[in-house]
Amino acid sequence: MTDIAGAGNRSTSPPGLAAHRAAVARLERDYAAIPPGQRVRLAKRTSNLFRFAGGAPSAGLDVSAFGHVLRVDPASRTAVVGGMTTYEDLADATLAHGLMPLVVPQLKTITLGGAVTGLGIESTSLRNGMPHESVTEMEILTGDGRVVTAAEGGEHAALYRGFPNSYGTLGYALSLTIELEPVTPYVHLRHFRFDTPDACMAAVAQIARDGSYHGHRADFVDGTAFGLDEMYLTVGAFSEVAPWRSDYTRERIYYQSIRGPQEDFLTIRDYLWRWDTDWFWCSRPFGVQNPVIRRAWPRRYRRSDTYRRLVALDRRYRLSAVLNARRGRPPQEDVIQDVEIPVERGAEFLRWFSGQVGMSPVWMCPLRLRGDRTWPLYPLRPGQVYVNFGFWGTVALPPGAANGYYNRKIEDQVTALGGHKGLYSTSFYSEEEFWALYNGPDYDKLKREYDSGGRLASLYDKCVTFNNG
Ligand SMILES: Cc1cc2nc3c(=O)[nH]c(=O)nc-3n(C[C@H](O)[C@H](O)[C@H](O)COP(=O)(O)OP(=O)(O)OC[C@H]3O[C@@H](n4cnc5c(N)ncnc54)[C@H](O)[C@@H]3O)c2cc1C
């Protein structure tokens, strides 16, 4: 076991396990000192949530001590990681040993705890499922102030299984033990074009069956829909060699490259962060895709967290809303969602989305649970292949329509197609509908067991009522 805090990790003072234990004891004391009845939130430097409403005043819990990788063990291919560690730091620490987490969400500042409690996904998800499926143990500060270890089959097994999709409403993960897999220096990409959604979804089903496409091994699979007649699946294979390597952190832009040559090579690190530089395609409104502005925009700020901070400022001061109104344009609704649809209904969803919402591009990422049991608060069916569709932008509201018009339609359609919606952004469900979709009875049991005093907000309040946190 190598204590690596420092090897590839940006920490200047390697914390180690002893320091971690001291930090846990300190956090328990800080938590106990918050007056009962006061709302609690994580005081974190970064966030990837898209819920910006104000919400009630809350006490911030300083969790900066939990942002480090504690250990990487190349022999057992596992790591012990602080719950607030960003995937950027985590990937650097494991890549130094020729390993990576089984799923690395695309945005550098997503944290391991955030991805487990908030359901991350990426192009290894067809092979490896979701980030929480490679967690073997979690140390959790529960809502009622205990620190417990949750693992499959242990005393707190119900918490272990109910933690994914609880969004910090049952407790906070302070450290997690995760499995890792070996990598090669490069990823060899091939972009396959489809001119109908049906052909594209049939190819996803075929890849899920065969583990390859046209002879190209599918270690990584995701896709981009620019329109119903222009859709791409990008299939990536681990590779020891690269005849050339592209770099999309400079002038060229990754999502645009998908429409270009059908073959590409990236270093494994550049592959993991291929979407971060331009926040998928969402850097466009900041002008960064204009070659002149791009050259002037410092490279270190071409990152998703920079753009998200700018959006948060915009929402806070309502800059674009005011500008929009001044120009006489209709109000816009944020339509920022990730939804999972069974692959058999994927083409139907794409056609419906194109007709009713009409936003592009759309990100497509196939996934399948790694294990043969479901996870109670986000009940995907074992064995079923889903496609995650991600769309992030604004749409003009029709005359007389109120905010929520499009998001509500999407929620209804996702339910009608047997799908699920992630909860990192806005939601408009009624309470009854919400609990029917996200397993109210099991959640209630966990809430009673681990946060009986209700110190942490309920999942419904956080995601729908307060629309914040
Ligand atoms: C435009 C956009 C695109 C996205 N695309 C993807 C994507 O492609 N793939 C993907 O995987 N995800 C994606 N996400 C979603 C992202 O993974 C989730 O929002 C995730 O929860 C963010 O994690 P974070 O670490 O930034 O947590 P935060 O934003 O800080 O917190 C998210 C929630 O988790 C809780 N939380 C955070 N840390 C912990 C912890 N240690 N223990 C318990 N609760 C905790 C917080 O209380 C909060 O409720 C996207 C989000 C946006 C806005």
Side-chain angles (χ1 to χ4, degrees):
M1 180 83 68
T2 330
D3 194 338
I4 57 90
N9 189 339
R10 271 169 202 75
S11 164
T12 45
S13 53
L17 285 178
H20 174 78
R21 278 192 285 275
V24 171
R26 222 170 24 246
L27 189 74
E28 276 186 279
R29 284 197 300 275
D30 290 352
Y31 190 70
I34 297 173
Q38 177 154 21
R39 265 191 81 194
V40 183
R41 72 182 156 78
L42 291 176
K44 270 173 88 243
R45 213 171 38 82
T46 58
S47 170
N48 289 281
L49 281 182
F50 240 84
R51 293 197 284 266
F52 293 107
S58 52
L61 207 53
D62 179 1
V63 286
S64 52
F66 302 96
H68 310 272
V69 179
L70 299 170
R71 283 185 180 180
V72 174
D73 182 0
S76 64
R77 291 184 184 157
T78 58
V80 183
V81 184
M84 321 296 158
T85 308
T86 64
Y87 270 95
E88 182 176 27
D89 287 347
L90 174 53
D92 278 347
T94 60
L95 287 177
H97 297 275
L99 299 165
M100 68 177 240
L102 269 61
V103 182
V104 178
Q106 307 84 335
L107 310 181
K108 287 178 175 171
T109 61
I110 291 179
T111 61
L112 178 58
V116 167
T117 198
L119 299 185
I121 180 172
E122 229 291 87
S123 60
T124 53
S125 287
L126 190 56
R127 249 183 341 110
N128 291 337
M130 301 178 101
H132 57 265
E133 293 189 274
S134 42
V135 172
T136 54
E137 193 174 286
M138 275 182 279
E139 180 188 29
I140 298 173
L141 171 70
T142 63
D144 54 17
R146 286 175 287 160
V147 174
V148 303
T149 300
E152 190 76 279
E155 186 190 346
H156 301 287
L159 180 60
Y160 170 80
R161 294 207 74 84
F163 198 75
N165 211 38
S166 66
Y167 277 91
T169 65
L170 299 172
Y172 297 123
L174 306 182
S175 71
L176 304 93
T177 306
I178 58 167
E179 297 171 75
L180 305 170
E181 71 174 8
V183 300
T184 53
Y186 305 103
V187 179
H188 176 188
L189 308 181
R190 288 185 63 190
H191 308 297
F192 296 95
R193 181 172 173 165
F194 302 89
D195 53 15
T196 67
D198 305 83
C200 185
M201 292 300 112
V204 169
Q206 187 182 333
I207 295 168
R209 234 179 6 251
D210 301 346
S212 64
Y213 196 62
H214 287 282
H216 195 65
R217 211 179 48 250
D219 296 320
F220 306 88
V221 191
D222 68 350
T224 311
F226 292 94
L228 290 180
D229 58 355
E230 190 189 0
M231 323 188 67
Y232 298 86
L233 289 181
T234 298
V235 181
F238 281 121
S239 176
E240 290 292 346
V241 293
W244 74 88
R245 42 188 267 211
S246 297
D247 180 353
Y248 298 106
T249 63
R250 296 173 188 273
E251 270 68 57
R252 295 165 62 212
I253 296 171
Y254 175 69
Y255 86 93
Q256 292 170 353
S257 79
I258 291 168
R259 304 171 110 161
Q262 292 160 3
E263 195 166 16
D264 209 349
F265 288 85
L266 289 170
T267 65
I268 178 70
R269 191 177 191 280
D270 283 353
Y271 176 79
L272 294 179
W273 306 129
R274 69 203 182 285
W275 291 118
D276 187 80
T277 313
D278 284 281
W279 208 16
F280 290 86
W281 31 83
C282 303
S283 66
R284 197 164 35 193
F286 308 103
V288 191
Q289 296 183 20
N290 172 316
V292 178
I293 299 177
R294 192 173 186 83
R295 271 194 292 276
W297 190 287
R299 216 169 136 222
R300 66 180 184 283
Y301 294 131
R302 286 181 216 150
R303 303 170 43 103
S304 61
D305 53 338
T306 307
Y307 308 127
R308 189 198 173 277
R309 271 194 203 108
L310 293 173
V311 171
L313 278 175
D314 178 67
R315 294 301 187 274
R316 190 154 162 208
Y317 297 107
R318 303 193 65 253
L319 298 175
S320 40
V322 170
L323 208 64
N324 211 31
R326 280 214 189 124
R327 288 177 177 155
R329 294 190 182 146
Q332 305 274 318
E333 178 175 339
D334 279 343
V335 180
I336 293 165
Q337 303 291 350
D338 276 66
V339 302
E340 267 101 46
I341 306 289
V343 66
E344 298 80 8
R345 314 292 300 269
E348 200 177 333
F349 177 79
L350 281 164
R351 276 192 291 271
W352 176 89
F353 185 80
S354 168
Q356 297 292 319
V357 184
M359 189 190 271
S360 74
V362 173
W363 185 57
M364 305 182 287
C365 185
L367 75 146
R368 177 167 46 193
L369 285 181
R370 182 177 177 223
D372 54 11
R373 284 178 62 195
T374 194
W375 297 77
L377 302 194
Y378 201 75
L380 297 174
R381 274 180 286 134
Q384 171 69 50
V385 175
Y386 294 86
V387 180
N388 177 102
F389 296 103
F391 30 90
W392 314 291
T394 54
V395 189
L397 282 164
N403 191 44
Y405 172 82
Y406 288 108
N407 280 291
R408 198 67 196 95
K409 275 181 172 222
I410 292 166
E411 287 175 353
D412 285 346
Q413 185 67 7
V414 168
T415 304
L417 295 179
H420 303 83
K421 186 179 106 150
L423 295 176
Y424 69 79
S425 185
T426 46
S427 294
F428 295 83
Y429 297 112
S430 71
E431 191 155 5
E432 195 184 10
E433 200 181 355
F434 183 88
W435 289 125
L437 293 170
Y438 298 99
N439 197 347
D442 276 22
Y443 181 78
D444 280 347
K445 268 190 243 156
L446 287 166
K447 196 75 176 159
R448 273 199 302 277
E449 178 64 34
Y450 292 101
D451 186 26
S452 53
R455 300 199 66 190
L456 303 174
S458 87
L459 189 62
Y460 183 78
D461 281 345
K462 209 171 193 184
C463 301
V464 189
T465 318
F466 304 147
N467 181 19
N468 178 265

